[in-house]
Amino acid sequence: MQRLVLASHGYLAEGMKNSAQIIVGKSAKIYTICAYVKEGITLESQINELFDSFPEDDEMIVVTDIFGGSVNNEFMKYISNPQIRLIAGMNLALVITAMS
């Protein structure tokens, strides 16, 4: 199964998911990580928790907000996994295309 993960500083990822779903409809295969919004919860732990919830053979498209930002850099640790594709520069058109 292919999954789409939107990850950002703050709540951008959640807002992007909501906006995209208004246009193309809801999808159960879209997940968000909103970094640095809850004290004591690290980005690394959010990623590990999400990835651990997926079967190992699932493919993931991960879209982050800013290339070179801390969110994108944390996901860079996972790009050696052939099941993960990482895209930086989140925007609504890109998210809608990835959902289609």
Side-chain angles (χ1 to χ4, degrees), residues 55-92:
E56 285 186 26
D57 60 339
D58 279 6
E59 293 182 358
M60 287 173 269
I61 298 172
V62 178
V63 183
T64 62
D65 52 1
I66 302 172
F67 177 74
S70 58
V71 175
N72 184 258
N73 288 343
E74 191 65 35
F75 278 99
M76 292 289 283
K77 298 175 183 177
Y78 300 91
I79 61 171
S80 62
N81 180 336
Q83 300 297 101
I84 297 174
R85 279 126 181 101
L86 179 61
I87 302 170
M90 183 187 309
N91 64 69
L92 189 56

Side-chain angles (χ1 to χ4, degrees), residues 10-77:
Y11 293 104
L12 176 66
E14 193 63 37
M16 194 68 65
K17 175 183 172 181
N18 291 338
S19 294
Q21 287 181 331
I22 289 170
I23 297 168
V24 297
K26 292 195 177 206
S27 172
K29 298 181 284 183
I30 300 175
Y31 305 84
T32 60
I33 292 180
C34 298
Y36 314 117
V37 297
K38 293 182 183 173
E39 194 170 324
I41 298 178
T42 66
L43 175 57
E44 183 179 19
S45 68
Q46 288 178 289
I47 294 170
N48 289 333
E49 182 179 334
L50 183 63
F51 283 6
D52 288 346
S53 72
F54 300 154
E56 285 186 26
D57 60 339
D58 279 6
E59 293 182 358
M60 287 173 269
I61 298 172
V62 178
V63 183
T64 62
D65 52 1
I66 302 172
F67 177 74
S70 58
V71 175
N72 184 258
N73 288 343
E74 191 65 35
F75 278 99
M76 292 289 283
K77 298 175 183 177

